[in-house]
Amino acid sequence: MVQPLGNLFIVAAPSGAGKSSLINALLESAPQHNLLNPPELSVSHTTRQAREGEIDGVHYNFVSVDVFKQMIQQDAFYEHAEVFGNFYGTSKAAISDKLDQGVDVFLDIDWQGARQIKTISPEVISIFILPPSIAILEERLIGRGKDSADVIKKRMSQAKDEMSHAAEFDYILINDNFEETLKQLANIVLDKSLRADKQRTRNATLLETLL
Ligand code: GDP
Ligand code: ADP
Ligand code: 5GP
């Protein structure tokens, strides 16, 4: 099978570790980090309620449990999982065309989804984000101000479980200083797009002339 020009990245972390902020900052700052092309985020489907400020089709495709189950039946998902009592899934449509066009695609998904995708597409690059401490993780969840005390409690109790899968990932980043972690993330993306197999595809005409 011909590998697409774009790379597929999975970023996972316990809730509140900073993965959404890091991915969004990377997407906005691709030129500053000298990335060859701006990466894009795959928009997941979820059955959870939209948080204040979340836009359907931008942050998630918000769907009912019935629609989600229909999509499973239709084999529309690349992977899906139940996280914190809601369904989340990455649709096939969200990624394959982009990768073929040479766009690097980011998936913000949990460890269960990461494991499913690693099995289907071993070339995926997986990155796990850890907080500098449990206390800081809780501070960030509270500071984000988007979840109720109950939801935060549930997420904190699952944090250890999520983090226990960190070693299954290709890279582990500790998100202490945000700008430093962002640079580390950008370095991984740039490194992967400069690999010989990608450069051979991207610069096929030049290589033909030179070699
Ligand atoms: P966050 O923890 O604040 O980012 O909260 P979210 O509600 O955005 O995400 C909840 C959980 O669902 C996280 O563990 C995500 O990694 C996971 N998640 C989000 N999208 C997907 C997806 O498409 N597939 C899978 N498997 N997990 C996802
Ligand atoms: P996740 O997507 O992993 O649940 P978020 O990106 O929503 O996490 O981050 C949780 C909160 O922590 C947000 O309010 C974010 O602004 C803040 N945050 C993220 N990274 C850092 C950091 N390195 N230092 C301080 N605050 C951070
Ligand atoms: P939140 O409800 O805070 O947006 O997300 C909770 C968790 O679900 C996060 O850890 C997030 O990464 C994960 N998640 C979001 N979308 C998906 C998805 O499409 N598939 C899987 N497996 N997990 C997801």
Side-chain angles (χ1 to χ4, degrees):
M1 195 185 78
V2 181
Q3 289 298 329
L5 180 54
N7 280 309
L8 183 60
F9 293 91
I10 296 176
V11 182
S15 190
K19 67 183 174 319
S20 308
S21 314
L22 285 165
I23 296 173
N24 289 330
L26 183 74
L27 304 191
E28 283 164 16
S29 65
Q32 289 97 298
H33 289 107
N34 301 318
L35 301 187
L36 300 190
N37 50 8
E40 290 184 20
L41 178 65
S42 143
V43 181
S44 295
H45 283 70
T46 184
T47 60
R48 88 155 155 74
Q49 293 289 313
R51 293 184 187 129
E52 211 188 310
E54 284 184 332
I55 301 162
D56 188 28
V58 175
H59 299 95
Y60 280 106
N61 296 299
F62 295 98
V63 294
S64 66
V65 174
D66 279 351
V67 168
F68 198 96
K69 286 188 171 161
Q70 246 172 32
M71 288 181 72
I72 297 176
Q73 291 292 321
Q74 293 160 354
D75 200 24
F77 289 116
Y78 196 27
E79 65 74 37
H80 59 89
E82 191 178 336
V83 191
F84 311 131
N86 296 305
F87 293 116
Y88 292 86
T90 308
S91 69
K92 290 181 179 166
I95 44 184
S96 52
D97 288 352
K98 286 183 185 166
L99 291 177
D100 288 341
Q101 291 157 15
V103 176
D104 287 339
V105 178
F106 272 81
L107 303 183
D108 167 350
I109 63 176
D110 84 318
W111 69 270
Q112 306 170 79
R115 197 182 264 181
Q116 290 174 51
I117 290 189
K118 200 83 188 172
T119 311
I120 313 166
S121 310
E123 70 285 357
V124 69
I125 300 135
S126 61
I127 302 166
F128 201 91
I129 313 283
L130 286 175
S133 72
I134 290 283
I136 289 179
L137 182 68
E138 189 165 16
E139 266 173 36
R140 286 184 188 165
L141 272 178
I142 296 168
R144 184 165 69 184
K146 294 275 170 70
D147 299 297
S148 66
D150 251 19
V151 169
I152 290 179
K153 215 168 134 196
K154 201 160 154 193
R155 288 177 178 228
M156 282 306 294
S157 73
Q158 298 236 355
K160 278 245 157 75
D161 185 44
E162 179 84 25
M163 288 191 282
S164 71
H165 297 279
E168 296 169 22
F169 286 68
D170 299 319
Y171 295 89
I172 296 179
L173 305 184
I174 297 164
N175 181 22
D176 191 355
N177 178 290
F178 188 83
E179 289 304 321
E180 276 307 311
T181 317
L182 179 58
K183 254 188 249 164
Q184 293 169 352
L185 183 61
N187 285 344
I188 296 170
V189 176
L190 182 58
D191 178 281
K192 294 298 174 190
S193 60
L194 293 174
R195 289 174 67 97
D197 57 340
K198 302 291 175 187
Q199 287 287 55
R200 277 202 305 269
T201 311
R202 186 180 293 111
N203 298 297
T205 318
L206 174 66
L207 264 69
E208 224 168 84
T209 324
L210 295 177
L211 309 182

